[in-house]
Amino acid sequence: MNSYQNKTVWITGASSGIGRALAIEFSKLGANLILSARNNEKLIETRSLCEDIKLVKLLPLDLGEFNLLKEKTIEALSLFEGLDVLINNGGISQRGLAVETPLSVDKRIFDINYFGTVALTKEVLPYFIKKKSGQIAVTSSVVGKFGSPVRTAYAASKHALHGFYDSLRAEIHDYNIGVTIICPGPINTSISENALTASGDKQNKKDPAIADGIAPEVLAKKYIKALRKNKREAWIGKKEVFAIYVKRFFPGLFARIIRNVKVT
Ligand SMILES: NC(=O)c1ccc[n+]([C@@H]2O[C@H](COP(=O)([O-])OP(=O)(O)OC[C@H]3O[C@@H](n4cnc5c(N)ncnc54)[C@H](OP(=O)(O)O)[C@@H]3O)[C@@H](O)[C@H]2O)c1
């Protein structure tokens, strides 16, 4: 899609971090915005940071409440009478050793990062297929390309997104619907504060690597650039992007490096 002027963009995870930065960036491009997340107060804050707040509608939702996503989609489609772009960005991370983490925590992470994301996409799909156009993005991670300690369920949920959205891209190609998977490295957001520990509680502290990450505003620009080019996949980060190549071409070396990474 070359221009987002007057296009309607629905962003999940818009109350914070990457989703908020995407909302601000899309608003500068003249898009109509539908912003979703659980925290309505923070969505209001995001809206106040957008260029023209009349073009921003809020639609609070919980990606873990699958049974409500059909209703939410019907509402979303009515807000600006249609939809052009769905940005599946909402998600939670993890900081806990597999051996200490009960399956209930793995399931919670999958419910939000994978099943909630897929459920919402499935609700929007018939609409895009019918109109024979649309763009779907999903925020994966570099950890969707390789595993990393203390993030077993998170990495698995992001890997699973690649399986789903790569397959979907092939299925819907003839309907003129693009599918872009974005894989960021560390981005300076609240992701590590909100990450679930082995107990299922939030970690509530920022990791040094995240504090040292790319600014969400910078990522948002590159994210939208990848969408404009209808890229299948975009890796956006610092040295972590290099690690994707190391894993692919030197898997033994990668295994030695990743097991020595200081876990935070
Ligand atoms: N920051 C990084 O280093 C990094 C790197 C790679 C990938 N990512 C991915 O980028 C995406 C955005 O993360 P971020 O870095 O911006 O972190 P963040 O600041 O913690 O934002 C996460 C967003 O997801 C929303 N969310 C969480 N649980 C939800 C639920 N059950 N239902 C609906 N929305 C929910 C949050 O909103 P509410 O709490 O209001 O619901 C918030 O808006 C995530 O998918 C994350 O995995 C982040």
Side-chain angles (χ1 to χ4, degrees):
M1 208 167 280
N2 282 326
S3 164
Y4 289 96
Q5 178 97 34
N6 301 324
K7 299 287 184 211
T8 299
V9 182
W10 185 6
I11 305 172
T12 68
S15 62
S16 175
I18 294 171
R20 173 173 287 181
L22 283 169
I24 295 167
E25 202 53 38
F26 272 117
S27 78
K28 289 181 193 158
L29 301 175
N32 302 320
L33 290 175
I34 304 169
L35 306 185
S36 292
R38 290 166 302 175
N39 189 324
N40 196 43
E41 296 301 306
K42 286 186 163 188
L43 286 176
I44 292 171
E45 235 174 82
T46 301
R47 178 173 60 186
S48 73
L49 298 168
C50 288
E51 202 79 356
D52 182 351
I53 64 165
K54 293 191 296 301
L55 299 182
V56 184
K57 311 267 188 194
L58 308 185
L59 185 57
L61 60 78
D62 185 337
L63 286 167
E65 292 182 336
F66 316 134
N67 54 333
L68 298 181
L69 296 178
K70 182 181 277 307
E71 243 171 72
K72 293 287 178 184
T73 303
I74 293 168
E75 203 180 331
L77 293 177
S78 73
L79 290 173
F80 292 101
E81 294 176 359
L83 184 69
D84 300 290
V85 186
L86 172 65
I87 310 261
N88 293 293
N89 169 73
I92 46 169
S93 192
Q94 179 187 25
R95 297 294 184 272
L97 293 171
V99 70
E100 294 171 356
T101 304
L103 198 60
S104 56
V105 173
D106 295 55
K107 284 181 86 176
R108 174 86 187 130
I109 291 168
F110 260 80
D111 277 351
I112 297 164
N113 292 0
Y114 181 77
F115 287 110
T117 297
V118 165
L120 192 66
T121 296
K122 284 183 181 234
E123 293 301 340
V124 169
L125 260 182
Y127 171 78
F128 280 171
I129 287 175
K130 192 166 176 211
K131 76 167 188 162
K132 290 197 169 60
S133 73
Q135 195 165 26
I136 298 170
V138 62
T139 311
S140 172
S141 166
V142 289
V143 180
K145 305 295 290 182
F146 56 76
S148 174
V150 298
R151 294 162 176 82
T152 46
Y154 179 69
S157 70
K158 295 297 189 182
H159 275 70
L161 290 173
H162 286 255
F164 180 86
Y165 285 94
D166 281 341
S167 308
L168 181 67
R169 185 187 303 107
E171 281 186 13
I172 60 181
H173 175 267
D174 290 350
Y175 294 100
N176 189 32
I177 305 165
V179 177
T180 300
I181 306 176
I182 305 287
C183 303
I187 309 298
N188 190 357
T189 68
S190 306
I191 191 83
S192 53
E193 283 101 318
N194 293 330
L196 301 188
T197 60
S199 67
D201 296 326
K202 286 184 181 182
Q203 176 177 242
N204 278 325
K205 79 173 170 57
K206 183 163 273 196
D207 296 344
I210 296 293
D212 197 34
I214 292 176
E217 298 75 20
V218 173
L219 175 77
K221 285 195 169 66
K222 295 184 176 185
Y223 199 123
I224 293 173
K225 196 171 166 192
L227 288 180
R228 274 190 202 285
K229 293 183 173 169
N230 196 22
K231 288 216 166 185
R232 289 183 296 279
E233 196 168 298
W235 308 338
I236 306 168
K238 298 181 185 171
K239 60 180 188 300
E240 314 74 29
V241 167
F242 184 62
I244 300 176
Y245 291 101
V246 178
K247 158 103 194 282
R248 179 176 294 175
F249 296 112
F250 307 100
L253 173 64
F254 178 81
R256 285 196 295 282
I257 294 173
I258 201 72
R259 70 181 175 237
N260 288 312
V261 162
K262 188 179 166 298
V263 291
T264 46

